[in-house]
Amino acid sequence: MYAQPAPAVKITVPDLQARKQRGEKIVSITAYDAAIAARADEAGVDLVLVGDSLGMVVQGHPSTLPVTMDAMVYHTACVARGLRRPLLVADLPFMSYRREDLALANAARLLAEGGAAMVKLEGADWACAIIHALKRHDVPVCAHLGLTPQAVHRLGGYKVQGRDEASAARLRADARAVQDVGADLLVLECVPAALAADITRDLAIPTIGIGAGAACDGQVLVVNDLLGITQGKRPRFSKDFLAGTHSVLDAISAYAAAVRSGEFPAPEHTY
Ligand code: KIV
C-alpha cells in the first residue's frame, strides 16, 4: 500500500554530451504542469523544457514577452514534481538576464526554487558574457538561436532565420561563440535544415532543433502543438501526434519513437 515507484536514474548534463558522441537522438518536449511532466517521463522523454512559450500557450498572450520570473518559477516547480528521469530545463524570461547580477539571481531561483538543472536563454553577442558568468557559477546553460521569440519585434514576426548567406554566416559564428563561452546545449529554432546540419556537425555540444531539420542532435516540440491543441494555425514544423492515438501518453510516446527513428521531422516539417 502506498508503495513509491523505484527512483529513476536522472539524466544529467554530461549524459547529453555522451548522447551526441554516441549518435543517439535527444527527445524533448515542453511542459508547464506536473501531469504532462509525468506523461513525458513515462513516455521516455529525455529533456523537459519549461519554455516561456507558456506565455502564449497557457496564459494566452500574443508573445512570450509578458512572462514573469514568478510565473517561470511557479511552472518549473510544478513540472519538477511530475518528473523523475528527464533533465529539467527552464527558460529565463524576457529582460530577466540582461545584466550579470540579474541573470545569476534569476537562474538561482529556477534551480533552487524551481528544481531545474539548466537554464535556457536567447541570443549570442551580448549574451555571451552572461552565459560565461552563469557557467563560472556552475549553472548549466542552453543557448537559443535562430528565431528567438523574445526578439519578435526586432525580427518583425515569427519568421525563419538564416535564409541568406550573411545571416547564415552570422548564425554559424553565434553558434560557435555560445559554445566557446560555455553553453552546454543549443536550441536552433526555425532555421533551414542544411544550415542546422552544418552547425550540428561543427559543434561539440548537442543541438536541439525545432523547425531546424532532422540532422540536429535532438528535437523539441511545444507540447500543445504535439497534442494538436494549438490555438490558431499549427506551425509547419510541428505535427499532431494525438491524431491516430488514444491518449496523451501514446501521443508523446509516438513522438519520442519518431524522433529516435529519424522519421520526425520529415521534409514537410522543415525549411
Ligand atoms: O519557450 C519555448 O517553449 C521554447 C521552445 C520552443 C524551444 O523556447
Side-chain angles (χ1 to χ4, degrees):
M1 199 171 142
Y2 304 133
Q4 294 295 308
V9 180
K10 270 264 178 217
I11 295 185
T12 65
V13 176
D15 288 339
L16 299 178
Q17 186 66 52
R19 295 265 173 124
K20 175 162 180 140
Q21 276 151 12
R22 291 198 298 267
E24 284 172 24
K25 293 284 183 195
I26 298 166
V27 177
S28 176
I29 65 167
T30 68
Y32 315 102
D33 62 42
I36 292 289
R39 296 296 83 73
D41 193 322
E42 264 183 274
V45 167
D46 303 308
L47 187 157
V48 170
L49 169 69
V50 184
D52 60 356
S53 51
L54 75 85
M56 299 173 82
V57 303
V58 176
Q59 298 173 332
H61 293 296
S63 77
T64 60
L65 305 192
V67 176
T68 62
M69 264 313 296
D70 284 347
M72 287 307 306
V73 171
Y74 172 80
H75 286 279
T76 304
C78 292
V79 169
R81 288 190 282 271
L83 288 187
R84 295 184 311 139
R85 180 180 160 277
L87 187 88
L88 179 55
V89 182
D91 264 343
L92 282 164
F94 182 55
M95 285 294 162
S96 69
Y97 53 97
R98 296 286 154 147
R99 290 194 327 262
E100 193 177 309
D101 57 339
L102 201 59
L104 289 172
N106 286 327
R109 288 194 66 195
L110 291 174
L111 268 60
E113 294 174 49
M118 182 183 281
V119 299
K120 179 165 82 57
L121 56 81
E122 297 180 9
D125 187 22
W126 64 271
C128 285
I130 304 293
I131 296 171
H132 186 61
L134 288 166
K135 278 310 291 288
R136 255 193 7 245
H137 291 88
D138 296 326
V139 178
V141 180
C142 175
H144 182 158
L145 296 175
L147 169 53
T148 46
Q150 292 174 13
V152 61
H153 296 307
R154 177 174 57 79
L155 298 175
Y158 299 103
K159 297 176 181 169
V160 180
Q161 302 296 307
R163 280 209 196 265
D164 59 81
E165 199 30 62
S167 61
R170 176 83 256 153
L171 259 175
R172 283 194 195 92
D174 285 350
R176 261 302 178 112
V178 295
Q179 168 178 278
D180 291 351
V181 293
D184 300 278
L185 206 57
L186 172 61
V187 164
L188 288 171
E189 180 166 352
C190 291
V191 301
L195 174 60
D198 274 0
I199 292 173
T200 299
R201 262 192 308 275
D202 186 51
L203 296 190
I205 59 171
T207 59
I208 308 289
I210 174 163
C216 292
D217 298 304
Q219 298 293 326
V220 60
L221 276 185
V222 169
V223 68
N224 297 54
D225 292 342
L226 183 161
L227 297 177
I229 53 169
T230 312
Q231 278 183 297
K233 192 168 164 274
R234 183 178 65 77
R236 174 192 166 120
F237 56 74
S238 75
K239 178 176 168 182
D240 176 358
F241 282 90
L242 191 62
T245 58
H246 300 291
S247 69
V248 168
L249 176 59
D250 285 352
I252 301 174
S253 302
Y255 162 70
V259 171
R260 292 199 172 104
S261 70
E263 259 168 69
F264 180 83
E268 67 264 28
H269 307 118
T270 57
Y271 301 101

